[in-house]
Amino acid sequence: MTKQVAIVLAGCGVFDGSEIYETTLTLLRLDQLGIGYRCFAPDVEQHHVINHITQTPVEGEQRNVLQESARLARGEISPITELNADEFDAVIVPGGFGVAKNLSDFATQGDNMQVLESLKDALAGFKQEAKPIGLMCIAPVMVPRLLGDGIAVTIGNEPSVSGAISAMGGLHRSCSVEDIVVDLEHRVVTTPAYMLATRISEAATGIFKLVDRIDEMMG
């Protein structure tokens, strides 16, 4: 496997971590294409823990984002501080509310959000070296803070989130669940995934397109 892609995770579970289906579909498509990958996550405490049956916070329970992300990566994961852009050809960030709670504070701060400095530092090398960057679901909301103004992205068509992207200096493009938005100048590819998907097959179509385009852009 000559091409290598870094995957940035935010925990494990749609409501407080990385979206499991989105992550798995991403890894599946990379493997189908013969592309190697390595998972990374910040070694920080989760914003909170959600009971995924009731969708309510679990009082008094705390989990670590790196340890939870290791569930998705089957233990093969490294702290995001060890992510070196020179060792990879591209980076992909799946969605899930962990993006808005653990990788950033978008869930509580909206367009006043900040992103983790360790994430910003890790992605700076990809931006500087013009290596492709893929983000899905809610993750594109971080782009103005991570990569700068004027970059076209999509989260589908949710008005409050797309409005926040615009307020932070980003460019939002409406998009169907089965499609992607590509900013060729900035080498950024995004897809709505579970911001719009009602079935795993819908999410898969857009996610596979994103990974395929990232593959093309890696050359």
Side-chain angles (χ1 to χ4, degrees):
M1 294 183 180
T2 54
K3 298 177 184 177
Q4 296 290 325
V5 174
I7 309 294
V8 176
L9 300 179
C12 182
V14 57
F15 298 117
D16 58 8
S18 288
E19 215 293 322
I20 293 172
Y21 292 174
E22 292 177 3
T23 304
T24 303
L25 288 166
T26 299
L27 302 183
L28 170 64
R29 189 58 178 161
L30 288 168
D31 187 62
Q32 287 176 336
L33 295 171
I35 298 170
Y37 58 81
R38 178 77 183 176
C39 295
F40 296 86
D43 188 2
V44 298
E45 296 302 299
Q46 280 189 194
H47 173 70
H48 60 191
V49 178
I50 294 291
N51 178 330
H52 277 63
I53 298 175
T54 63
Q55 298 182 24
T56 57
V58 180
E59 298 299 328
E61 183 170 350
Q62 188 60 61
R63 299 186 185 184
N64 177 277
V65 174
L66 180 61
Q67 291 176 16
E68 287 298 291
S69 299
R71 295 174 180 270
L72 270 174
R74 296 175 61 86
E76 293 293 322
I77 196 165
S78 302
I80 198 166
T81 50
E82 297 180 12
L83 174 50
N84 183 347
D86 291 339
E87 298 173 1
F88 294 91
D89 301 293
V91 60
I92 297 176
V93 187
F97 280 107
V99 169
K101 297 174 179 179
N102 303 327
L103 299 186
S104 73
D105 57 9
F106 177 72
T108 57
Q109 300 302 314
D111 59 24
N112 289 316
M113 68 172 280
Q114 298 297 320
V115 297
L116 275 184
E117 283 301 317
S118 57
L119 174 64
K120 195 169 185 177
D121 292 345
L123 264 60
F126 290 91
K127 177 186 175 183
Q128 184 176 351
E129 297 173 27
K131 293 181 176 180
I133 300 171
L135 308 99
M136 60 192 68
C137 190
I138 191 68
V141 78
M142 300 190 297
V143 166
R145 294 285 190 259
L146 279 176
L147 305 173
D149 295 347
I151 300 173
V153 300
T154 189
I155 51 85
N157 53 25
E158 211 284 327
S160 64
V161 182
S162 61
I165 290 171
S166 299
M168 290 186 287
L171 299 175
H172 184 265
R173 302 284 184 258
S174 293
C175 180
S176 69
V177 65
E178 296 173 336
D179 211 348
I180 59 176
V181 167
V182 182
D183 187 313
L184 287 173
E185 179 186 354
H186 298 98
R187 313 273 285 166
V188 173
V189 186
T190 53
T191 191
Y194 272 99
M195 287 296 288
L196 290 178
T198 58
R199 299 157 58 205
I200 190 171
S201 56
E202 289 180 344
T205 301
I207 290 169
F208 281 20
K209 281 185 182 178
L210 180 146
V211 175
D212 289 353
R213 182 60 64 90
I214 293 285
D215 183 25
E216 292 172 10
M217 293 168 73
M218 287 189 291

